[in-house]
Structures are given as C-alpha cells and as structure tokens.
Amino acid sequence: MPADLSDVQTLLAVARAGGFREAGRSSGASASTMSEAVRRLEERLGVRLLHRTTRSVTPTEAGQRLIERLGPAMAEVEAALRVVDELKGRPAGTLRLNVPVSAARLVLPTILPGFLAAYPDIRVEVDAEDGFVDVLAAGSDAGIRYDERLAQDMIAIPIGPRVQRFATAASPAYLDRRGRPSHPRDLLNHDGILGRFASGALTAPWEFERDGEVVKVEPASRLIVRVGGAMDLAVDAAIGGAGVIHLFEDWLAPHFASGALEPVLTDWWQSFSGPFLYYSQRRLVPPPLRAFVDYVRALK
C-alpha cells in the first residue's frame, strides 16, 4: 500500500527537529499525532524508521537512507504545489535560505526588512552556518555562498556588496604593548586570533596583497574559535587585547569607528568578490524564491 504523503512529511519533520514534541511545536500538531503518523508509515513499509528513547529520537539505518532520498524529492513536490500561490495574485509561502554567518550579519540585514515589507504573505527562515552543506538536500530553497563555493548546475546572482576586504586589527593597548606591524611578516611576532571551520581547517594562513605582491603568514595563536557563532567572541577578545584579528572589514568597521580596534597594514588588505545567491536550475522555482530573486536583482 502506498504511503500517505502526510506521513512522509511527518517523518521528515521529526527527523529534522530531533523529536516528536519539537516537530509538533513547529507544525501545530501534538506529539502523539506525530508519533502515530510515523508508526503508521513504519507499519506500511514493514521496517522501523526511528530509534525512540526517553531522551532522543534518531533515524535507524533504513530511516536515514529513506530520509536522504525523500528530502530532495519532497522539497520538489512542495515547490510544485507552491507554484499555485502565483494564482492568488501575489507570492505567498515560506522562503528558506542557508547562508554563512557573515552573510547573515553583513548582507541580509540590508535586504530582508524591505523584502518582508514588500511581500507580506512571505515568511523567511534563515539557517546560518559555515559548513560545506548541500543546501537543497538540507531543505533550503536557496543559499548564499562565495563564488569558489558554488555548486554545479546552479543559477547564481550577485547579492550584497560586490567587493569586500579582509581587515587586520588589534586593540590600541595591545599594539602599544607589542608594537605596530609595518609588514605582514611582522605578524609572526604577534598573537593571532584564528577561527576553525567545521572541517577542522583553520582561517590561516592570512593572505595580504600590495602592488602585485602576495604575502601569506600564519601567526602563532593562543585563541582559536569556531567559525560562525563564536566569531563575536574573537572580536571581543581582540578588543580586550588578546591579539590580532583578521576578519571582514564590514564586521570590524563599527569598532574602528569607536576606537576599540585599530586597523593595521591597511595598504595590504586584500579585496575579494562579494557573495552570490544561488539556487537549482533543475527545479521549479517556488513563488517566494522567485520574488526574492526579482527583489535582489532590482536592488542593483
């Protein structure tokens, strides 16, 4: 007997939320209703799909394989159904974006307020992370990434500033104590504040450029933070005098203005291309995403 699509959607929601109660909160259904739907699906398929304990709900091997195949397929079904919203005269529904933390902090704040005001029937959900993920398989409609991270078979449009720079800075007190570098190699005698990606790679070496000369340095570090949510800790530590930080210029600009951080090696700051909004060219574009793409393009 074919499985009910609503039961399939419930399985995906429970797996994504990590529990029946958590999934019920976001969907408006009770935990018992969600549990019954998954049990019904398991009976129809003749296999257990979720491990249930008093503390957690996790997919079995069969459940994980099913979820991996169903996620993209159900996203396509939902996108096809949402196309009907276009007949209502204005786009409606949910737009799900997967973005790096830097974009959530530096790009979207200048775009989302105006977009939400222009499209009152659209809800936006933003998942901010800096790992290398398949945003479509994760259930997002589109992602924001830099050009070197763009996946194949994707449509990419510019979003946000087209040129950005990495800035290098430290607190005035730290520089008074340790000296002000005049060349990137001088940073080898300083404490660097570094980030670590989920992959384990560090945000080093730092790269500088001036008059065609490129210099890479990897300063010693006594403080390493997780790229993403812990970057504010790195900035605060730099302000507190823990070392030199190398980060997006726009992220550090307010602290330059206040005097909490002092820029160094400004002639060597390297520029790079700004981010892109990207989405699949092989899938139906749901109305909320089409509206967002049109809105972003109109800002240029």
Side-chain angles (χ1 to χ4, degrees), residues 180-181 250:
R180 287 165 173 77
D250 292 339

Coordinates of all heavy atoms in Angstrom, one line a residue, residues 180-181 250:
R180 N 53.5 47.9 16.5 CA 52.6 48.0 15.3 C 53.3 47.4 14.1 O 54.3 48.0 13.7 CB 52.1 49.4 15.1 CG 51.1 49.9 16.1 CD 50.9 51.4 16.2 NE 49.8 51.7 17.0 CZ 49.9 51.7 18.4 NH1 51.0 51.5 19.0 NH2 48.8 52.0 19.1
P181 N 52.8 46.4 13.5 CA 53.4 45.8 12.3 C 53.5 46.7 11.2 O 52.5 47.4 10.9 CB 52.6 44.5 12.1 CG 51.2 44.9 12.6 CD 51.5 45.7 13.8
D250 N 33.8 45.0 7.0 CA 32.5 45.5 7.4 C 32.1 45.0 8.8 O 31.4 45.7 9.5 CB 31.4 45.0 6.4 CG 31.5 45.7 5.1 OD1 32.2 46.7 5.0 OD2 31.0 45.2 4.1

